Amino acid sequence: MIVLKISNSSEVVASKVGKFLEFLTPDSVDQSTVEDQVIKKMVENLAAEGLKGEIAAVNGLDIDGSDLSIHEGMKVRKHTTF
């Protein structure tokens, strides 16, 4: 299993739409938007390589160094099979 944590979603959104619009959107929307685009590209690339599997965006899961924390209310926000 591979876990990917994106830590600069606000900066990515700001660079794409501008600082003013980024200021108006909550960080959770920025995170979801970036995660959705990353998932889309990963599915395209992995499927093109002939790989099959599943990918999910999960809320309530944190990585801190070698520690993996599961928070109450953890849920799968998005799930895709490729």
Side-chain angles (χ1 to χ4, degrees):
M1 180 177 288
I2 298 170
V3 177
L4 172 67
K5 178 181 179 180
I6 299 171
S7 58
N8 68 336
S9 57
S10 292
E11 291 88 0
V12 171
V13 170
S15 73
K16 301 291 183 189
V17 298
K19 283 284 188 186
F20 178 71
L21 289 177
E22 190 274 333
F23 178 74
L24 296 175
T25 60
D27 286 343
S28 62
V29 172
D30 295 348
Q31 185 75 23
S32 297
T33 301
V34 171
E35 286 175 352
D36 290 347
Q37 289 302 310
V38 168
I39 288 172
K40 179 181 173 186
K41 289 295 184 183
M42 287 179 72
V43 166
E44 289 172 3
N45 291 328
L46 294 170
E49 293 295 326
L51 292 168
K52 293 182 181 180
E54 300 174 49
I55 190 167
V58 178
N59 291 338
L61 188 65
D62 271 330
I63 302 171
D64 186 17
S66 62
D67 295 327
L68 181 66
S69 301
I70 300 173
H71 302 281
E72 191 172 323
M74 185 182 104
K75 71 175 206 168
V76 175
R77 185 184 63 75
K78 180 177 182 141
H79 178 263
T80 304
T81 301
F82 57 93

